Amino acid sequence: DTGVSQDPRHKITKRGQNVTFRCDPISEHNRLYWYRQTLGQGPEFLTYFQNEAQLEKSRLLSDRFSAERPKGSFSTLEIQRTEQGDSAMYLCASSRTGYGYTFGSGTRLTVV
Amino acid sequence: KNEVEQSPQNLTAQEGEFITINCSYSVGISALHWLQQHPGGGIVSLFMLSSGKKKHGRLIATINIQEKHSSLHITASHPRDSAVYICAALGGSQGNLIFGKGTKLSVKP
């Protein structure tokens, strides 16, 4: 297992387009997290899954954002009708209950 | 006021210097993480601690639960230590991390 993988690494999209990011966690990790990080700031929590159940969503996650983890393995984060303010690094992390987190390298989104 | 505060925000050091980064938190936590982020975004977990002190190579992390304070120390700093160091508190029933804004460290040769 090579850790948490995120795809793509970079995405440039036009305003108004939809984008989807994927995260493959460490296989034995039951928890998966999505964070967003803007320049000069620490990451901010977006949403969290335990197995396939989405247990918590941040107020940052507007109606244009949706996340899934259909089989409790990989997860996708979709942003519909992207806006320039969505430009950020989207980070995925996974963990096993009671243990530390492993982060992916992130997907950098630029909305032009 | 942020729930997790780090200081300093920026730190420049000469190679070989002893470095300390501080983190204070106002929430109840079950553990505290120190993370390292290099340009390009990838985050590496350095330590997860809930009491006392941990050491890994030239890095030492301490936590004082009563004072709600943690420190990350780097001994014999090196230019390759240049990165953003982030403190993150693990609290709440759902186990979400609350991040500080990070400390940008630059070690000059």
PDB file of all heavy atoms in Angstrom, chain A residues 50-86:
ATOM      1  N   GLN A  50     -17.106   7.535   7.815  1.00  0.00           N
ATOM      2  CA  GLN A  50     -16.677   6.329   8.511  1.00  0.00           C
ATOM      3  C   GLN A  50     -17.254   5.177   7.712  1.00  0.00           C
ATOM      4  O   GLN A  50     -18.476   5.027   7.637  1.00  0.00           O
ATOM      5  CB  GLN A  50     -17.159   6.292   9.954  1.00  0.00           C
ATOM      6  CG  GLN A  50     -16.711   5.017  10.667  1.00  0.00           C
ATOM      7  CD  GLN A  50     -16.535   5.182  12.147  1.00  0.00           C
ATOM      8  OE1 GLN A  50     -15.822   6.082  12.602  1.00  0.00           O
ATOM      9  NE2 GLN A  50     -17.194   4.339  12.912  1.00  0.00           N
ATOM     10  N   ASN A  51     -16.381   4.400   7.125  1.00  0.00           N
ATOM     11  CA  ASN A  51     -16.782   3.406   6.122  1.00  0.00           C
ATOM     12  C   ASN A  51     -17.551   4.138   5.019  1.00  0.00           C
ATOM     13  O   ASN A  51     -17.052   5.124   4.512  1.00  0.00           O
ATOM     14  CB  ASN A  51     -17.558   2.280   6.779  1.00  0.00           C
ATOM     15  CG  ASN A  51     -16.706   1.596   7.838  1.00  0.00           C
ATOM     16  OD1 ASN A  51     -15.551   1.261   7.605  1.00  0.00           O
ATOM     17  ND2 ASN A  51     -17.275   1.396   9.026  1.00  0.00           N
ATOM     18  N   GLU A  52     -18.748   3.691   4.674  1.00  0.00           N
ATOM     19  CA  GLU A  52     -19.451   4.367   3.586  1.00  0.00           C
ATOM     20  C   GLU A  52     -20.378   5.467   4.068  1.00  0.00           C
ATOM     21  O   GLU A  52     -20.956   6.198   3.256  1.00  0.00           O
ATOM     22  CB  GLU A  52     -20.246   3.346   2.754  1.00  0.00           C
ATOM     23  CG  GLU A  52     -21.401   2.686   3.479  1.00  0.00           C
ATOM     24  CD  GLU A  52     -20.969   1.469   4.285  1.00  0.00           C
ATOM     25  OE1 GLU A  52     -19.750   1.251   4.421  1.00  0.00           O
ATOM     26  OE2 GLU A  52     -21.858   0.763   4.792  1.00  0.00           O
ATOM     27  N   ALA A  53     -20.498   5.635   5.357  1.00  0.00           N
ATOM     28  CA  ALA A  53     -21.434   6.625   5.896  1.00  0.00           C
ATOM     29  C   ALA A  53     -20.776   7.997   6.040  1.00  0.00           C
ATOM     30  O   ALA A  53     -19.709   8.125   6.652  1.00  0.00           O
ATOM     31  CB  ALA A  53     -21.934   6.146   7.259  1.00  0.00           C
ATOM     32  N   GLN A  54     -21.439   8.998   5.482  1.00  0.00           N
ATOM     33  CA  GLN A  54     -20.974  10.374   5.625  1.00  0.00           C
ATOM     34  C   GLN A  54     -21.504  10.908   6.950  1.00  0.00           C
ATOM     35  O   GLN A  54     -22.700  11.186   7.072  1.00  0.00           O
ATOM     36  CB  GLN A  54     -21.454  11.229   4.450  1.00  0.00           C
ATOM     37  CG  GLN A  54     -20.847  12.616   4.426  1.00  0.00           C
ATOM     38  CD  GLN A  54     -21.224  13.393   3.159  1.00  0.00           C
ATOM     39  OE1 GLN A  54     -22.197  13.056   2.477  1.00  0.00           O
ATOM     40  NE2 GLN A  54     -20.469  14.417   2.822  1.00  0.00           N
ATOM     41  N   LEU A  55     -20.624  11.046   7.924  1.00  0.00           N
ATOM     42  CA  LEU A  55     -21.064  11.345   9.278  1.00  0.00           C
ATOM     43  C   LEU A  55     -21.139  12.828   9.591  1.00  0.00           C
ATOM     44  O   LEU A  55     -21.863  13.225  10.507  1.00  0.00           O
ATOM     45  CB  LEU A  55     -20.166  10.647  10.297  1.00  0.00           C
ATOM     46  CG  LEU A  55     -20.202   9.121  10.289  1.00  0.00           C
ATOM     47  CD1 LEU A  55     -19.444   8.563  11.475  1.00  0.00           C
ATOM     48  CD2 LEU A  55     -21.646   8.603  10.298  1.00  0.00           C
ATOM     49  N   GLU A  56     -20.391  13.627   8.894  1.00  0.00           N
ATOM     50  CA  GLU A  56     -20.409  15.054   9.203  1.00  0.00           C
ATOM     51  C   GLU A  56     -20.040  15.857   7.973  1.00  0.00           C
ATOM     52  O   GLU A  56     -19.213  15.442   7.179  1.00  0.00           O
ATOM     53  CB  GLU A  56     -19.430  15.379  10.338  1.00  0.00           C
ATOM     54  CG  GLU A  56     -19.545  16.808  10.858  1.00  0.00           C
ATOM     55  CD  GLU A  56     -18.729  17.053  12.112  1.00  0.00           C
ATOM     56  OE1 GLU A  56     -18.251  16.082  12.721  1.00  0.00           O
ATOM     57  OE2 GLU A  56     -18.568  18.225  12.480  1.00  0.00           O
ATOM     58  N   LYS A  57     -20.711  16.980   7.825  1.00  0.00           N
ATOM     59  CA  LYS A  57     -20.428  17.907   6.741  1.00  0.00           C
ATOM     60  C   LYS A  57     -20.258  19.300   7.316  1.00  0.00           C
ATOM     61  O   LYS A  57     -21.074  19.740   8.131  1.00  0.00           O
ATOM     62  CB  LYS A  57     -21.582  17.922   5.735  1.00  0.00           C
ATOM     63  CG  LYS A  57     -21.709  16.673   4.902  1.00  0.00           C
ATOM     64  CD  LYS A  57     -23.014  16.652   4.116  1.00  0.00           C
ATOM     65  CE  LYS A  57     -23.141  17.785   3.143  1.00  0.00           C
ATOM     66  NZ  LYS A  57     -24.327  17.644   2.271  1.00  0.00           N
ATOM     67  N   SER A  58     -19.239  19.996   6.874  1.00  0.00           N
ATOM     68  CA  SER A  58     -19.011  21.367   7.324  1.00  0.00           C
ATOM     69  C   SER A  58     -19.987  22.318   6.650  1.00  0.00           C
ATOM     70  O   SER A  58     -20.495  22.039   5.548  1.00  0.00           O
ATOM     71  CB  SER A  58     -17.577  21.765   6.977  1.00  0.00           C
ATOM     72  OG  SER A  58     -17.399  23.148   7.004  1.00  0.00           O
ATOM     73  N   ARG A  59     -20.202  23.453   7.300  1.00  0.00           N
ATOM     74  CA  ARG A  59     -21.012  24.498   6.654  1.00  0.00           C
ATOM     75  C   ARG A  59     -20.329  25.025   5.404  1.00  0.00           C
ATOM     76  O   ARG A  59     -20.969  25.652   4.556  1.00  0.00           O
ATOM     77  CB  ARG A  59     -21.245  25.644   7.637  1.00  0.00           C
ATOM     78  CG  ARG A  59     -22.234  25.315   8.733  1.00  0.00           C
ATOM     79  CD  ARG A  59     -22.253  26.398   9.762  1.00  0.00           C
ATOM     80  NE  ARG A  59     -20.976  26.501  10.449  1.00  0.00           N
ATOM     81  CZ  ARG A  59     -20.687  27.416  11.361  1.00  0.00           C
ATOM     82  NH1 ARG A  59     -21.563  28.331  11.697  1.00  0.00           N
ATOM     83  NH2 ARG A  59     -19.512  27.439  11.952  1.00  0.00           N
ATOM     84  N   LEU A  60     -18.994  24.784   5.287  1.00  0.00           N
ATOM     85  CA  LEU A  60     -18.277  25.204   4.085  1.00  0.00           C
ATOM     86  C   LEU A  60     -18.752  24.433   2.861  1.00  0.00           C
ATOM     87  O   LEU A  60     -18.568  24.872   1.728  1.00  0.00           O
ATOM     88  CB  LEU A  60     -16.769  24.976   4.265  1.00  0.00           C
ATOM     89  CG  LEU A  60     -16.042  25.817   5.302  1.00  0.00           C
ATOM     90  CD1 LEU A  60     -14.609  25.328   5.443  1.00  0.00           C
ATOM     91  CD2 LEU A  60     -16.069  27.272   4.915  1.00  0.00           C
ATOM     92  N   LEU A  61     -19.327  23.271   3.094  1.00  0.00           N
ATOM     93  CA  LEU A  61     -19.737  22.413   1.994  1.00  0.00           C
ATOM     94  C   LEU A  61     -21.122  22.856   1.519  1.00  0.00           C
ATOM     95  O   LEU A  61     -22.149  22.402   2.021  1.00  0.00           O
ATOM     96  CB  LEU A  61     -19.776  20.964   2.479  1.00  0.00           C
ATOM     97  CG  LEU A  61     -19.329  19.896   1.487  1.00  0.00           C
ATOM     98  CD1 LEU A  61     -17.870  20.060   1.145  1.00  0.00           C
ATOM     99  CD2 LEU A  61     -19.581  18.517   2.035  1.00  0.00           C
ATOM    100  N   SER A  62     -21.109  23.753   0.526  1.00  0.00           N
ATOM    101  CA  SER A  62     -22.374  24.279   0.039  1.00  0.00           C
ATOM    102  C   SER A  62     -23.096  23.217  -0.780  1.00  0.00           C
ATOM    103  O   SER A  62     -22.590  22.110  -1.003  1.00  0.00           O
ATOM    104  CB  SER A  62     -22.123  25.515  -0.828  1.00  0.00           C
ATOM    105  OG  SER A  62     -21.610  25.127  -2.082  1.00  0.00           O
ATOM    106  N   ASP A  63     -24.290  23.574  -1.258  1.00  0.00           N
ATOM    107  CA  ASP A  63     -25.091  22.638  -2.047  1.00  0.00           C
ATOM    108  C   ASP A  63     -24.401  22.233  -3.339  1.00  0.00           C
ATOM    109  O   ASP A  63     -24.765  21.234  -3.949  1.00  0.00           O
ATOM    110  CB  ASP A  63     -26.456  23.269  -2.375  1.00  0.00           C
ATOM    111  CG  ASP A  63     -27.317  23.393  -1.137  1.00  0.00           C
ATOM    112  OD1 ASP A  63     -26.976  22.752  -0.112  1.00  0.00           O
ATOM    113  OD2 ASP A  63     -28.308  24.143  -1.172  1.00  0.00           O
ATOM    114  N   ARG A  64     -23.394  23.009  -3.743  1.00  0.00           N
ATOM    115  CA  ARG A  64     -22.710  22.671  -4.997  1.00  0.00           C
ATOM    116  C   ARG A  64     -21.685  21.555  -4.790  1.00  0.00           C
ATOM    117  O   ARG A  64     -21.154  21.017  -5.745  1.00  0.00           O
ATOM    118  CB  ARG A  64     -21.996  23.901  -5.557  1.00  0.00           C
ATOM    119  CG  ARG A  64     -22.927  25.039  -5.930  1.00  0.00           C
ATOM    120  CD  ARG A  64     -22.168  26.211  -6.558  1.00  0.00           C
ATOM    121  NE  ARG A  64     -21.214  26.811  -5.624  1.00  0.00           N
ATOM    122  CZ  ARG A  64     -19.899  26.625  -5.687  1.00  0.00           C
ATOM    123  NH1 ARG A  64     -19.363  25.865  -6.629  1.00  0.00           N
ATOM    124  NH2 ARG A  64     -19.112  27.216  -4.811  1.00  0.00           N
ATOM    125  N   PHE A  65     -21.403  21.248  -3.537  1.00  0.00           N
ATOM    126  CA  PHE A  65     -20.411  20.223  -3.207  1.00  0.00           C
ATOM    127  C   PHE A  65     -21.123  18.935  -2.802  1.00  0.00           C
ATOM    128  O   PHE A  65     -22.084  18.965  -2.030  1.00  0.00           O
ATOM    129  CB  PHE A  65     -19.538  20.671  -2.029  1.00  0.00           C
ATOM    130  CG  PHE A  65     -18.539  21.747  -2.348  1.00  0.00           C
ATOM    131  CD1 PHE A  65     -18.964  23.042  -2.628  1.00  0.00           C
ATOM    132  CD2 PHE A  65     -17.190  21.485  -2.368  1.00  0.00           C
ATOM    133  CE1 PHE A  65     -18.048  24.044  -2.917  1.00  0.00           C
ATOM    134  CE2 PHE A  65     -16.254  22.476  -2.646  1.00  0.00           C
ATOM    135  CZ  PHE A  65     -16.690  23.744  -2.920  1.00  0.00           C
ATOM    136  N   SER A  66     -20.613  17.827  -3.305  1.00  0.00           N
ATOM    137  CA  SER A  66     -21.124  16.549  -2.827  1.00  0.00           C
ATOM    138  C   SER A  66     -19.977  15.553  -2.759  1.00  0.00           C
ATOM    139  O   SER A  66     -19.070  15.574  -3.593  1.00  0.00           O
ATOM    140  CB  SER A  66     -22.235  16.026  -3.736  1.00  0.00           C
ATOM    141  OG  SER A  66     -21.742  15.804  -5.036  1.00  0.00           O
ATOM    142  N   ALA A  67     -20.008  14.716  -1.766  1.00  0.00           N
ATOM    143  CA  ALA A  67     -18.971  13.706  -1.591  1.00  0.00           C
ATOM    144  C   ALA A  67     -19.626  12.366  -1.385  1.00  0.00           C
ATOM    145  O   ALA A  67     -20.701  12.266  -0.786  1.00  0.00           O
ATOM    146  CB  ALA A  67     -18.073  14.051  -0.409  1.00  0.00           C
ATOM    147  N   GLU A  68     -18.962  11.344  -1.892  1.00  0.00           N
ATOM    148  CA  GLU A  68     -19.467   9.981  -1.742  1.00  0.00           C
ATOM    149  C   GLU A  68     -18.315   9.051  -1.407  1.00  0.00           C
ATOM    150  O   GLU A  68     -17.164   9.297  -1.770  1.00  0.00           O
ATOM    151  CB  GLU A  68     -20.118   9.508  -3.055  1.00  0.00           C
ATOM    152  CG  GLU A  68     -21.360  10.245  -3.452  1.00  0.00           C
ATOM    153  CD  GLU A  68     -21.978   9.678  -4.722  1.00  0.00           C
ATOM    154  OE1 GLU A  68     -21.288   8.942  -5.453  1.00  0.00           O
ATOM    155  OE2 GLU A  68     -23.143   9.985  -4.983  1.00  0.00           O
ATOM    156  N   ARG A  69     -18.682   7.976  -0.783  1.00  0.00           N
ATOM    157  CA  ARG A  69     -17.733   6.887  -0.552  1.00  0.00           C
ATOM    158  C   ARG A  69     -18.544   5.595  -0.665  1.00  0.00           C
ATOM    159  O   ARG A  69     -18.863   4.947   0.327  1.00  0.00           O
ATOM    160  CB  ARG A  69     -17.069   7.008   0.818  1.00  0.00           C
ATOM    161  CG  ARG A  69     -15.859   6.114   0.984  1.00  0.00           C
ATOM    162  CD  ARG A  69     -15.257   6.200   2.373  1.00  0.00           C
ATOM    163  NE  ARG A  69     -14.065   5.377   2.474  1.00  0.00           N
ATOM    164  CZ  ARG A  69     -13.521   4.996   3.628  1.00  0.00           C
ATOM    165  NH1 ARG A  69     -14.060   5.368   4.780  1.00  0.00           N
ATOM    166  NH2 ARG A  69     -12.443   4.254   3.640  1.00  0.00           N
ATOM    167  N   PRO A  70     -18.885   5.225  -1.887  1.00  0.00           N
ATOM    168  CA  PRO A  70     -19.942   4.229  -2.131  1.00  0.00           C
ATOM    169  C   PRO A  70     -19.707   2.859  -1.514  1.00  0.00           C
ATOM    170  O   PRO A  70     -20.628   2.229  -1.054  1.00  0.00           O
ATOM    171  CB  PRO A  70     -20.010   4.153  -3.657  1.00  0.00           C
ATOM    172  CG  PRO A  70     -18.746   4.759  -4.153  1.00  0.00           C
ATOM    173  CD  PRO A  70     -18.312   5.739  -3.134  1.00  0.00           C
ATOM    174  N   LYS A  71     -18.505   2.384  -1.493  1.00  0.00           N
ATOM    175  CA  LYS A  71     -18.277   1.035  -0.968  1.00  0.00           C
ATOM    176  C   LYS A  71     -17.356   1.061   0.243  1.00  0.00           C
ATOM    177  O   LYS A  71     -16.790   0.050   0.620  1.00  0.00           O
ATOM    178  CB  LYS A  71     -17.693   0.133  -2.059  1.00  0.00           C
ATOM    179  CG  LYS A  71     -18.646  -0.075  -3.224  1.00  0.00           C
ATOM    180  CD  LYS A  71     -18.054  -0.992  -4.276  1.00  0.00           C
ATOM    181  CE  LYS A  71     -19.031  -1.167  -5.425  1.00  0.00           C
ATOM    182  NZ  LYS A  71     -18.469  -2.014  -6.506  1.00  0.00           N
ATOM    183  N   GLY A  72     -17.229   2.242   0.833  1.00  0.00           N
ATOM    184  CA  GLY A  72     -16.358   2.353   1.993  1.00  0.00           C
ATOM    185  C   GLY A  72     -14.886   2.290   1.637  1.00  0.00           C
ATOM    186  O   GLY A  72     -14.049   2.111   2.525  1.00  0.00           O
ATOM    187  N   SER A  73     -14.583   2.432   0.341  1.00  0.00           N
ATOM    188  CA  SER A  73     -13.160   2.406  -0.048  1.00  0.00           C
ATOM    189  C   SER A  73     -12.779   3.787  -0.574  1.00  0.00           C
ATOM    190  O   SER A  73     -12.588   4.706   0.216  1.00  0.00           O
ATOM    191  CB  SER A  73     -12.900   1.309  -1.066  1.00  0.00           C
ATOM    192  OG  SER A  73     -13.738   1.481  -2.198  1.00  0.00           O
ATOM    193  N   PHE A  74     -12.740   3.963  -1.895  1.00  0.00           N
ATOM    194  CA  PHE A  74     -12.369   5.270  -2.433  1.00  0.00           C
ATOM    195  C   PHE A  74     -13.511   6.258  -2.237  1.00  0.00           C
ATOM    196  O   PHE A  74     -14.669   5.876  -1.982  1.00  0.00           O
ATOM    197  CB  PHE A  74     -11.993   5.155  -3.912  1.00  0.00           C
ATOM    198  CG  PHE A  74     -13.159   4.945  -4.829  1.00  0.00           C
ATOM    199  CD1 PHE A  74     -13.817   6.023  -5.416  1.00  0.00           C
ATOM    200  CD2 PHE A  74     -13.620   3.661  -5.115  1.00  0.00           C
ATOM    201  CE1 PHE A  74     -14.902   5.826  -6.251  1.00  0.00           C
ATOM    202  CE2 PHE A  74     -14.699   3.452  -5.948  1.00  0.00           C
ATOM    203  CZ  PHE A  74     -15.354   4.538  -6.518  1.00  0.00           C
ATOM    204  N   SER A  75     -13.174   7.536  -2.360  1.00  0.00           N
ATOM    205  CA  SER A  75     -14.179   8.588  -2.226  1.00  0.00           C
ATOM    206  C   SER A  75     -14.044   9.561  -3.384  1.00  0.00           C
ATOM    207  O   SER A  75     -12.960   9.719  -3.951  1.00  0.00           O
ATOM    208  CB  SER A  75     -13.989   9.333  -0.906  1.00  0.00           C
ATOM    209  OG  SER A  75     -14.887  10.433  -0.801  1.00  0.00           O
ATOM    210  N   THR A  76     -15.148  10.189  -3.748  1.00  0.00           N
ATOM    211  CA  THR A  76     -15.121  11.259  -4.733  1.00  0.00           C
ATOM    212  C   THR A  76     -15.705  12.528  -4.129  1.00  0.00           C
ATOM    213  O   THR A  76     -16.615  12.467  -3.292  1.00  0.00           O
ATOM    214  CB  THR A  76     -15.927  10.895  -5.989  1.00  0.00           C
ATOM    215  OG1 THR A  76     -17.269  10.586  -5.609  1.00  0.00           O
ATOM    216  CG2 THR A  76     -15.299   9.710  -6.707  1.00  0.00           C
ATOM    217  N   LEU A  77     -15.158  13.637  -4.552  1.00  0.00           N
ATOM    218  CA  LEU A  77     -15.665  14.957  -4.177  1.00  0.00           C
ATOM    219  C   LEU A  77     -16.001  15.688  -5.466  1.00  0.00           C
ATOM    220  O   LEU A  77     -15.139  15.861  -6.321  1.00  0.00           O
ATOM    221  CB  LEU A  77     -14.620  15.736  -3.373  1.00  0.00           C
ATOM    222  CG  LEU A  77     -14.998  17.161  -2.964  1.00  0.00           C
ATOM    223  CD1 LEU A  77     -16.104  17.154  -1.919  1.00  0.00           C
ATOM    224  CD2 LEU A  77     -13.779  17.918  -2.422  1.00  0.00           C
ATOM    225  N   GLU A  78     -17.258  16.060  -5.622  1.00  0.00           N
ATOM    226  CA  GLU A  78     -17.699  16.755  -6.827  1.00  0.00           C
ATOM    227  C   GLU A  78     -18.074  18.183  -6.484  1.00  0.00           C
ATOM    228  O   GLU A  78     -18.745  18.436  -5.474  1.00  0.00           O
ATOM    229  CB  GLU A  78     -18.895  16.049  -7.481  1.00  0.00           C
ATOM    230  CG  GLU A  78     -19.347  16.747  -8.762  1.00  0.00           C
ATOM    231  CD  GLU A  78     -20.580  16.119  -9.403  1.00  0.00           C
ATOM    232  OE1 GLU A  78     -21.281  15.341  -8.722  1.00  0.00           O
ATOM    233  OE2 GLU A  78     -20.838  16.427 -10.585  1.00  0.00           O
ATOM    234  N   ILE A  79     -17.640  19.095  -7.329  1.00  0.00           N
ATOM    235  CA  ILE A  79     -18.054  20.500  -7.213  1.00  0.00           C
ATOM    236  C   ILE A  79     -18.801  20.843  -8.493  1.00  0.00           C
ATOM    237  O   ILE A  79     -18.255  20.718  -9.599  1.00  0.00           O
ATOM    238  CB  ILE A  79     -16.861  21.450  -7.032  1.00  0.00           C
ATOM    239  CG1 ILE A  79     -15.947  20.979  -5.904  1.00  0.00           C
ATOM    240  CG2 ILE A  79     -17.363  22.866  -6.754  1.00  0.00           C
ATOM    241  CD1 ILE A  79     -14.662  21.798  -5.769  1.00  0.00           C
ATOM    242  N   GLN A  80     -20.028  21.255  -8.344  1.00  0.00           N
ATOM    243  CA  GLN A  80     -20.832  21.650  -9.507  1.00  0.00           C
ATOM    244  C   GLN A  80     -20.782  23.168  -9.668  1.00  0.00           C
ATOM    245  O   GLN A  80     -20.656  23.910  -8.693  1.00  0.00           O
ATOM    246  CB  GLN A  80     -22.280  21.195  -9.309  1.00  0.00           C
ATOM    247  CG  GLN A  80     -22.423  19.683  -9.250  1.00  0.00           C
ATOM    248  CD  GLN A  80     -23.885  19.259  -9.107  1.00  0.00           C
ATOM    249  OE1 GLN A  80     -24.678  19.937  -8.465  1.00  0.00           O
ATOM    250  NE2 GLN A  80     -24.235  18.150  -9.727  1.00  0.00           N
ATOM    251  N   ARG A  81     -20.870  23.596 -10.917  1.00  0.00           N
ATOM    252  CA  ARG A  81     -20.929  25.032 -11.236  1.00  0.00           C
ATOM    253  C   ARG A  81     -19.826  25.783 -10.484  1.00  0.00           C
ATOM    254  O   ARG A  81     -20.073  26.679  -9.682  1.00  0.00           O
ATOM    255  CB  ARG A  81     -22.310  25.602 -10.891  1.00  0.00           C
ATOM    256  CG  ARG A  81     -23.462  24.858 -11.563  1.00  0.00           C
ATOM    257  CD  ARG A  81     -24.813  25.479 -11.207  1.00  0.00           C
ATOM    258  NE  ARG A  81     -25.060  25.536  -9.771  1.00  0.00           N
ATOM    259  CZ  ARG A  81     -25.446  24.505  -9.037  1.00  0.00           C
ATOM    260  NH1 ARG A  81     -25.617  23.311  -9.596  1.00  0.00           N
ATOM    261  NH2 ARG A  81     -25.672  24.643  -7.744  1.00  0.00           N
ATOM    262  N   THR A  82     -18.596  25.397 -10.780  1.00  0.00           N
ATOM    263  CA  THR A  82     -17.467  25.952 -10.040  1.00  0.00           C
ATOM    264  C   THR A  82     -17.417  27.473 -10.110  1.00  0.00           C
ATOM    265  O   THR A  82     -17.800  28.085 -11.116  1.00  0.00           O
ATOM    266  CB  THR A  82     -16.134  25.392 -10.556  1.00  0.00           C
ATOM    267  OG1 THR A  82     -16.073  25.557 -11.989  1.00  0.00           O
ATOM    268  CG2 THR A  82     -15.972  23.929 -10.202  1.00  0.00           C
ATOM    269  N   GLU A  83     -16.914  28.056  -9.016  1.00  0.00           N
ATOM    270  CA  GLU A  83     -16.728  29.499  -8.907  1.00  0.00           C
ATOM    271  C   GLU A  83     -15.255  29.757  -8.613  1.00  0.00           C
ATOM    272  O   GLU A  83     -14.545  28.867  -8.140  1.00  0.00           O
ATOM    273  CB  GLU A  83     -17.589  30.045  -7.753  1.00  0.00           C
ATOM    274  CG  GLU A  83     -19.071  29.770  -7.913  1.00  0.00           C
ATOM    275  CD  GLU A  83     -19.872  30.153  -6.688  1.00  0.00           C
ATOM    276  OE1 GLU A  83     -19.275  30.583  -5.669  1.00  0.00           O
ATOM    277  OE2 GLU A  83     -21.121  30.007  -6.738  1.00  0.00           O
ATOM    278  N   GLN A  84     -14.827  30.984  -8.877  1.00  0.00           N
ATOM    279  CA  GLN A  84     -13.413  31.292  -8.656  1.00  0.00           C
ATOM    280  C   GLN A  84     -13.024  31.083  -7.194  1.00  0.00           C
ATOM    281  O   GLN A  84     -11.888  30.694  -6.894  1.00  0.00           O
ATOM    282  CB  GLN A  84     -13.112  32.717  -9.109  1.00  0.00           C
ATOM    283  CG  GLN A  84     -13.038  32.831 -10.624  1.00  0.00           C
ATOM    284  CD  GLN A  84     -12.544  34.172 -11.099  1.00  0.00           C
ATOM    285  OE1 GLN A  84     -12.920  35.194 -10.555  1.00  0.00           O
ATOM    286  NE2 GLN A  84     -11.703  34.157 -12.115  1.00  0.00           N
ATOM    287  N   GLY A  85     -13.927  31.299  -6.292  1.00  0.00           N
ATOM    288  CA  GLY A  85     -13.662  31.105  -4.874  1.00  0.00           C
ATOM    289  C   GLY A  85     -13.431  29.656  -4.483  1.00  0.00           C
ATOM    290  O   GLY A  85     -12.992  29.375  -3.367  1.00  0.00           O
ATOM    291  N   ASP A  86     -13.722  28.748  -5.416  1.00  0.00           N
ATOM    292  CA  ASP A  86     -13.469  27.322  -5.140  1.00  0.00           C
ATOM    293  C   ASP A  86     -12.007  26.958  -5.364  1.00  0.00           C
ATOM    294  O   ASP A  86     -11.583  25.856  -5.009  1.00  0.00           O
ATOM    295  CB  ASP A  86     -14.335  26.434  -6.045  1.00  0.00           C
ATOM    296  CG  ASP A  86     -15.817  26.633  -5.819  1.00  0.00           C
ATOM    297  OD1 ASP A  86     -16.211  26.969  -4.676  1.00  0.00           O
ATOM    298  OD2 ASP A  86     -16.593  26.455  -6.784  1.00  0.00           O
TER     299      ASP A  86
END
